[in-house]
Amino acid sequence: MPELQIAINEADRDVLERVRLQQGLDTVEQAAEWLLKSRLRRSVRSITGRGRALYLVPRGARK
């Protein structure tokens, strides 16, 4: 997988450090990867409609 380098400031590093400690990860880079994967999973779940309510559309309402 290609590597992407992102410049972060001290506030971002502090957040990543808290995530690292909370998740029991070894490095800040692993924390950034964990956050990214977590966000992707939530996004895919919302796109696929998993967990969404389905409503019956009346026949006359279709176009």
Side-chain angles (χ1 to χ4, degrees), residues 20-42:
R20 183 188 74 78
L21 293 172
Q22 182 183 40
Q23 297 300 319
L25 301 170
D26 294 329
T27 65
V28 172
E29 289 80 11
Q30 288 176 338
E33 184 177 346
W34 183 88
L35 284 172
L36 178 62
K37 286 180 180 182
S38 176
R39 176 65 178 151
L40 283 172
R41 279 190 294 272
R42 280 183 287 155

Side-chain angles (χ1 to χ4, degrees), residues 10 12 27 43:
E10 283 301 313
D12 294 336
T27 65
S43 295

